[in-house]
Amino acid sequence: MVTRARIRDGDADAFGQLYDEFARTVYNHAFRLTGDWSTAEDVMSLTFLETWRLRGRIDADGGSLRPWLLGIATNVARNTRRASRRYDNALARMPRNDQVADFAEEVAGRLDDAERVAALRRAYAQLRRAEQEVISLVVGSELSHAEAAEALGVSVGTVKSRLSRARRKLDKATAEREPSRPAQQVTVTRVMREV
């Protein structure tokens, strides 16, 4: 049993022993008062915080601190219920919006888009470097074929053929990954703007 004087004097080890000895008792009492395990945990924590704060009120003489702790727990539970009622009453006074938008389709669409974008990025990574450069310039940076040819130092025909080849490869790679998907595929343009 922990000495009252050590706790009153702020001995952290003595307080730790007090917690170890009575935490379960306080929790069980709090659970019986609240009927909710989560609230009981909160009440138990607050009880020991309050006990630390009030440690100067402990008499040097006396028996177990159990009754004192359970009294504090009872007050903490009462205050917790009171605060919960105030919160519930405040919520009840707020205007209600009875219509809640169904966002399930939007979420599913976003997940599908994320999967498609990931597949397209993997396919893009498999392209030859020259094809990636053309896609990046023409689609990602929105350069014309002539501007891309100038940037790369190649002919416009070379840019067009690399771009065509790259798009075919990307279409094929994404079609192989998603054969059952409808025709609405994520475009190369969209992926390049997200990169």
Side-chain angles (χ1 to χ4, degrees):
M1 181 173 353
V2 181
T3 65
R4 290 170 167 253
R6 285 179 56 206
I7 293 172
R8 189 181 61 217
D9 293 340
D11 183 333
D13 290 332
F15 195 79
Q17 289 173 358
L18 179 73
Y19 178 86
D20 291 341
E21 187 175 345
F22 292 112
R24 179 170 289 290
T25 302
V26 171
Y27 172 82
N28 289 338
H29 178 65
F31 183 77
R32 285 189 295 275
L33 292 174
T34 64
D36 179 76
W37 65 267
S38 178
T39 306
E41 287 177 353
D42 292 342
V43 168
M44 182 189 69
S45 298
L46 291 170
T47 297
F48 281 98
L49 284 172
E50 194 68 6
T51 301
W52 179 257
R53 189 179 71 82
L54 299 173
R55 70 188 181 276
R57 296 184 184 176
I58 296 174
D59 292 333
D61 297 326
S64 172
L65 288 173
R66 183 172 173 254
W68 186 62
L69 286 169
L70 294 179
I72 292 173
T74 301
N75 289 333
V76 168
R78 188 179 303 133
N79 291 338
T80 301
R81 278 194 308 271
R82 192 177 303 130
S84 179
R85 272 196 312 271
R86 281 194 303 266
Y87 178 76
D88 290 344
N89 290 338
L91 283 180
R93 289 189 302 269
M94 295 184 74
R96 295 200 185 272
N97 182 2
D98 293 334
Q99 293 183 357
V100 176
D102 183 12
F103 56 88
E105 286 186 35
E106 180 184 342
V107 170
R110 286 184 183 183
L111 290 174
D112 286 345
D113 285 350
E115 290 172 12
R116 290 184 192 127
V117 167
L120 197 50
R121 283 185 175 162
R122 285 190 296 272
Y124 177 79
Q126 299 301 314
L127 295 176
R128 289 185 359 223
R129 173 182 232 128
E131 294 166 341
Q132 289 178 352
E133 291 170 350
V134 169
I135 291 280
S136 179
L137 291 171
V138 174
V139 179
S141 298
E142 298 180 346
L143 294 183
S144 69
H145 292 153
E147 292 169 327
E150 181 183 335
L152 294 173
V154 296
S155 70
V156 173
T158 301
V159 168
K160 288 181 180 181
S161 65
R162 286 179 184 172
L163 185 60
S164 176
R165 229 181 359 259
R167 283 186 170 156
R168 274 195 315 274
K169 288 179 181 179
L170 291 173
D171 288 342
K172 181 180 177 191
T174 55
E176 288 173 358
R177 288 192 172 278
E178 304 170 341
S180 62
R181 296 262 189 214
Q184 59 175 12
Q185 290 192 352
V186 175
T187 64
V188 174
T189 305
R190 180 171 167 199
V191 172
M192 291 308 301
R193 289 190 181 138
E194 292 179 7
V195 174

